[in-house]
Structure formats: structure tokens, C-alpha cells
Amino acid sequence: MLNIVLFGPPGAGKGTQAEMLVTKYNLCHLSTGDVFRYNIKNETELGVLAKGFMDQGKLVPDEVTIKLLISEVEKNPQAEGFIFDGFPRTTPQAEALDKILTERGTSINMMIALDVEKAELTERLKNRALSSGRADDADPEIIENRIKVYMDETFPLKEFYDQQGKFIKVNGHGTIEDITARLFETIDLALA
Ligand code: AMP
């Protein structure tokens, strides 16, 4: 199995690039943000709960998010591997992910961090707001909060994966195609 954590701040291009990796490496794309948005759209109990946090640019509590992740992994027993997009975002989530995968006889192969400067992130999120309809993209204060939450709670995960020799940084600037090509090259090299 090939299991990749795609890491990076909001607006780094994780969702877009995850789609490219899914096709090339035949992986199952697991985005906790997408699952939360699906639940919000369908007005489920989970959706109502998640919306309260997401609309403020805060993280949904670990307990809820980890449970959701486990159920998504369980829904895909035939998967040849996963690309985790937007998960883990905290150390307890990363520990839970290791446990879930170990129980299934597999593990994370690599964590790829898309490296993008802050000014570029804010610009991308503002542009995305025009088409995504996402409330958390539309408000500069919420964007600022999401980037801060990323720096405080998620960025330290770099160490978690670095200590396991699994952290790889990729330049996230340029065209979508440029970045995809860099990712393919990086993954192929890591697997060689
Ligand atoms: P994303 O689509 O990954 O940008 O996520 C959008 C929002 O969903 C985040 O700002 C959080 O409020 C929530 N969210 C997504 N994934 C997680 C996670 N792993 N842990 C906590 N909250 C999450």
C-alpha cells in the first residue's frame, strides 16, 4: 500500500494536487474537510456540529474528527492506498492515524508538505472564495485565523514525521502542472 499525507496550510493546493495523485497512483482520496462539507450540505448532526467550528476557522475537535477518519478508512477496505488531505492536523490525530494503519498492517510512507508563502496563500484563498462558495474562504479574518491555527496546531506535525524520516518539502509555487510534476518526481524518487 502507498499512504501519503498531503500537508500544507490552507490554500496550498492540497485538494487540487490530491486529485492528480489519486489518478496517477490509484489511491483513495480522504479529505476530512470535504466530508465535513458534505455533512453540512446534508444537514446531518455531524454537519451542524462541524459548521460551528469551520465557520470560525477553528479545528473540529479531535474526538469527532478521528472517529470520522476511522469510519472513512473502514468504508474503503479495497483501497490500494490513501492520500490523506487535511488530516492529520494535530498530534493526537497523527498518533491515531498511525494506530489505525498499524492495525491494518500498513503505515504512512511519506508526508509531503506543499510549501507556499503567506501572501500567495491569502491571494489564492480570496480567489477561491469567488468560486468555492466556502464561507471560510470569503472572510479575511477567518482566513487569518485558519493560517494561525495551522501554524500553532498543525505545523508542529512536521517534527512528528521528520523524526520518522518521512517528511518531504515540495515547492508549492507555480502552475498546477508544475507542482504536479514536482510531486510525481518526489514520490517516484522516494519509492525508488
Ligand atoms: P479543509 O477543507 O481541509 O481546508 O478544512 C476546512 C475546515 O474543516 C477546517 O478549517 C476545519 O474547521 C475543518 N477540518 C478539516 N479537517 C480537519 C481536521 N483534520 N481536524 C480538525 N478540523 C478539520
Side-chain angles (χ1 to χ4, degrees):
M1 268 181 113
L2 171 61
N3 297 304
I4 299 175
V5 171
L6 199 53
F7 188 71
K14 299 187 294 294
T16 307
Q17 295 300 334
E19 292 302 333
M20 312 293 181
L21 301 183
V22 160
T23 316
K24 163 121 170 149
Y25 298 100
N26 201 17
L27 303 174
C28 173
H29 179 195
L30 258 181
S31 156
T32 38
D34 283 352
V35 181
F36 286 137
R37 279 184 288 276
Y38 176 84
N39 278 274
I40 291 173
K41 203 169 138 210
N42 289 285
E43 297 176 352
T44 67
E45 207 177 311
L46 173 67
V48 173
L49 180 115
K51 189 174 181 340
F53 295 95
M54 289 169 76
D55 281 355
Q56 299 176 64
K58 290 183 181 164
L59 294 184
V60 178
D62 280 343
E63 200 191 296
V64 178
T65 310
I66 290 169
K67 225 164 90 183
L68 171 82
L69 195 275
I70 295 175
S71 92
E72 290 298 313
V73 168
E74 281 173 351
K75 272 186 208 163
N76 293 283
Q78 306 305 331
E80 288 181 25
F82 290 96
I83 176 136
F84 297 98
D85 159 12
F87 187 98
R89 267 176 153 101
T90 63
T91 305
Q93 290 183 16
E95 287 166 352
L97 182 59
D98 274 358
K99 184 164 173 274
I100 297 158
L101 295 179
T102 305
E103 283 165 6
R104 285 162 181 76
T106 182
S107 60
I108 291 294
N109 298 77
M110 61 192 93
M111 184 237 228
I112 302 184
L114 284 170
D115 190 34
V116 182
E117 278 173 18
K118 194 178 165 201
E120 170 80 13
L121 295 175
T122 332
E123 196 53 35
R124 284 188 193 174
L125 289 173
K126 265 199 285 175
N127 287 334
R128 188 169 79 183
L130 301 174
S131 57
S132 72
R134 282 177 57 168
D136 61 346
D137 284 345
D139 182 331
E141 238 174 79
I142 299 176
I143 291 181
E144 197 59 35
N145 200 32
R146 286 163 66 203
I147 296 177
K148 183 178 180 322
V149 167
Y150 171 79
M151 289 314 296
D152 292 348
E153 300 186 50
T154 306
F155 188 72
L157 285 183
K158 169 187 185 294
E159 271 311 301
F160 182 92
Y161 288 99
D162 212 8
Q163 275 169 12
Q164 298 182 29
K166 293 178 178 172
F167 175 81
I168 307 173
K169 186 160 90 173
V170 169
N171 177 0
H173 294 96
T175 65
I176 292 176
E177 294 75 19
D178 286 344
I179 302 165
T180 306
R182 267 178 228 138
L183 286 172
F184 287 174
E185 200 184 330
T186 304
I187 295 169
D188 291 345
L189 197 68
L191 293 177

